[in-house]
């Protein structure tokens, strides 16, 4: 990818991160204030009933990761380099965020169990039967599974095989939709998970890259087939999810469908027209991972001094939260993320040089 396209992708990351932040701030507002407390409550209700900005941001992040990350696998020892780069890119900042969350919990008189903290440090706490210290972090496990899958596909030479990718991505959608239908119609009481559905959006990003950039034959058909499958599957699980309260569909079908459609349209427009080219958005995109990790603890801290009321004054509180999140995220990026990324690159370079004959 050219430097200009990197700036374009970083701009998209900024939009996704800001969407997640806005969703969570309005969610905090609606949870912390009485119904009809003020005009901000009305604005928040109108927002969440029509579009889930949180799901929009997540879907956009997934499309971006699928579009970019698989094509970072390369070099003399590609899988080793990929693993090292992902580990040093993601884990150090996560561990710092977990330390902050654990400290906050201790100060609140509810210290987390050591096993919970350790499980969170793996980025896969659910595999150990432990909850996330922050439920916001659930997307990290989805990304981790995707990295493992694309590494396996690369290792067997199938990462650019459209037929294989199409079958796999459609199977992921079916893995979510079919159990729901079996349970809904009383055919079989099988377990339901949404991992497959979420992963399908990452694979959609991969197929879109093969279609729009790599120009691989058949990629367009595969991408459109996957979109149609997703369009059919999301409504098919809506009633089940709402009845069970599992948070895949939260306020209703409309806000989630609108969010997915908006993410897809914006992503396609961004790739087609090479937008946005905003230096400000590109800079925010660089720190978007830290924004994702640290916006909740920052917001909670601000609310202690400036509680949400439902009044217009909440706009100032939200702007303060946003400004502090940007500041904290910039510091984490400069002091943790970027040094660890460079350290990972140094390991890759040193190992590559040492392995040469």
């Amino acid at each position: 990818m050219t430097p200009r396209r990197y700036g374009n992708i970083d701009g998209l990351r900024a939009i996704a991160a800001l969407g997640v932040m806005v969703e969570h701030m309005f969610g905090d507002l609606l949870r912390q204030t009485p119904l009809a407390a003020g005009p901000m409550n009305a604005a928040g209700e109108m927002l969440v009933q029509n579009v889930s900005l949180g799901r929009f941001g997540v879907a956009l992040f997934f499309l971006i990761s699928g579009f970019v990350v698989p094509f970072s696998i390369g070099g003399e020892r590609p899988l080793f380099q990929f693993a090292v780069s992902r580990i040093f890119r993601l884990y150090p900042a996560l561990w710092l965020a977990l330390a902050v969350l654990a400290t906050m919990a201790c100060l609140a008189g509810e210290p987390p169990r050591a096993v919970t903290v350790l499980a969170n440090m793996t980025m896969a706490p659910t595999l150990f039967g432990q909850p996330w210290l922050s439920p916001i972090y659930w997307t990290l496990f989805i990304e981790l599974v995707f990295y493992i899958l694309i590494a396996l596909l690369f290792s067997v030479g199938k990462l650019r095989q459209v037929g294989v990718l199409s079958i796999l991505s459609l199977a992921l959608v079916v893995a979510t939709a079919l159990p729901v239908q079996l349970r809904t119609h009383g055919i079989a009481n099988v377990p339901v998970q949404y991992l497959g559905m979420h992963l399908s959006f990452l694979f959609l990003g991969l197929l879109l890259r093969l279609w729009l950039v790599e120009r691989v034959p058949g990629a367009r058909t595969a991408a459109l087939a996957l979109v149609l499958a997703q369009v059919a599957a999301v409504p098919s699980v809506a009633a089940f999810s709402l009845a069970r309260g599992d948070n895949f569909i939260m306020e209703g079908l409309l806000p989630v469908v609108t969010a997915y459609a908006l993410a897809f349209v914006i992503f396609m427009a961004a790739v087609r027209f090479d937008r946005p080219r905003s230096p400000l958005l590109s800079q925010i995109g660089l720190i978007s991972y830290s924004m994702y990790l640290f916006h909740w603890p920052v917001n909670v801290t601000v609310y202690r001094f400036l509680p949400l009321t439902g009044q217009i004054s909440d706009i100032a509180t939200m702007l303060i939260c946003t400004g502090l999140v940007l500041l904290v995220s910039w510091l984490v990026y400069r002091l943790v993320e970027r040094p660890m990324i460079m350290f990972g690159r140094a390991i890759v370079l040193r190992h590559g040089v040492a392995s040469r004959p």
Side-chain angles (χ1 to χ4, degrees):
M1 299 179 72
T2 65
R4 190 167 111 178
R5 184 168 293 281
Y6 271 125
N8 162 265
I9 294 299
D10 281 331
L12 280 181
R13 288 192 179 104
I15 293 171
L18 292 170
V20 171
M21 284 181 55
V22 171
E23 169 85 2
H24 288 160
M25 285 190 289
F26 273 104
D28 294 337
L29 170 67
L30 295 176
R31 284 189 296 271
Q32 295 176 22
T33 59
L35 292 175
M40 292 297 288
N41 290 76
E45 287 286 352
M46 183 176 66
L47 176 68
V48 301
Q49 293 300 325
N50 289 280
V51 57
S52 171
L53 288 181
R55 189 62 60 89
F56 159 77
V58 166
L60 192 52
F61 271 128
F62 284 169
L63 290 172
I64 292 168
S65 290
F67 192 81
V68 174
V69 173
F71 300 89
S72 66
I73 304 178
E76 295 183 2
R77 302 188 62 186
L79 293 180
F80 169 77
Q81 295 178 14
F82 177 69
V84 170
S85 67
R86 290 292 90 192
I87 288 171
F88 284 93
R89 174 70 181 88
L90 300 176
Y91 278 94
L94 171 64
W95 292 341
L96 176 60
L98 294 175
V100 170
L101 291 173
T103 301
M104 292 175 66
C106 290
L107 293 175
E110 300 178 353
R113 298 169 58 205
V115 66
T116 301
V117 176
L118 291 173
N120 273 251
M121 292 177 67
T122 68
M123 206 177 282
T126 53
L127 295 183
F128 302 94
Q130 298 297 317
W132 280 106
L133 290 184
S134 171
I136 293 172
Y137 295 168
W138 65 271
T139 62
L140 295 177
F141 178 66
I142 309 296
E143 294 264 359
L144 181 62
V145 174
F146 178 67
Y147 298 157
I148 294 172
L149 288 176
I150 62 173
L152 290 173
L153 288 168
F154 179 88
S155 67
V156 295
K158 302 297 183 182
L159 189 55
R160 294 170 182 262
Q161 295 291 318
V162 171
V164 173
L165 294 174
S166 182
I167 293 172
L168 175 58
S169 58
L170 291 172
L172 289 169
V173 175
V174 172
T176 292
L178 181 59
V180 170
Q181 294 306 308
L182 291 176
R183 292 186 61 159
T184 300
H185 293 89
I187 299 174
N189 189 23
V190 293
V192 172
Q193 49 74 37
Y194 299 102
L195 175 64
M197 182 66 71
H198 292 307
L199 283 170
S200 73
F201 287 93
L202 287 144
F203 277 96
L204 177 58
L206 171 52
L207 287 170
L208 290 174
R209 172 68 176 262
L210 293 176
W211 166 23
L212 299 169
V213 178
E214 308 293 326
R215 307 292 183 182
V216 175
R220 176 183 178 179
T221 300
L224 294 178
L226 178 55
V227 170
L228 290 176
Q230 292 167 335
V231 168
V234 172
S236 75
V237 304
F240 176 85
S241 177
L242 283 170
R244 195 168 71 160
D246 55 29
N247 293 329
F248 180 74
I249 303 290
M250 290 177 281
E251 289 80 12
L253 178 60
L254 174 63
V256 171
V257 170
T258 304
Y260 282 138
L262 188 62
F264 180 76
V265 169
I266 288 179
F267 182 82
M268 292 294 287
V271 174
R272 171 64 179 82
F273 299 106
D274 195 17
R275 295 288 192 275
R277 297 182 191 174
S278 165
L280 176 60
L281 286 179
S282 294
Q283 289 300 310
I284 294 175
L286 284 176
I287 62 173
S288 58
Y289 181 52
S290 287
M291 290 170 64
Y292 167 80
L293 292 175
F294 289 92
H295 75 273
W296 184 82
V298 169
N299 290 353
V300 169
T301 303
V302 171
Y303 298 152
R304 291 181 179 274
F305 300 95
L306 297 170
L308 296 169
T309 62
Q311 303 302 316
I312 294 296
S313 58
D314 287 344
I315 294 177
T317 301
M318 291 180 178
L319 290 175
I320 291 171
C321 286
T322 302
L324 288 176
V325 168
L326 292 174
L327 175 60
V328 169
S329 300
W330 179 79
L331 290 172
V332 173
Y333 177 77
R334 292 295 299 271
L335 300 176
V336 179
E337 282 193 70
R338 190 168 70 173
M340 289 295 98
I341 291 171
M342 298 305 295
F343 185 59
R345 289 176 181 172
I347 292 176
V348 167
L349 180 60
R350 184 165 57 248
H351 193 87
V353 171
S355 64
R356 291 175 188 169

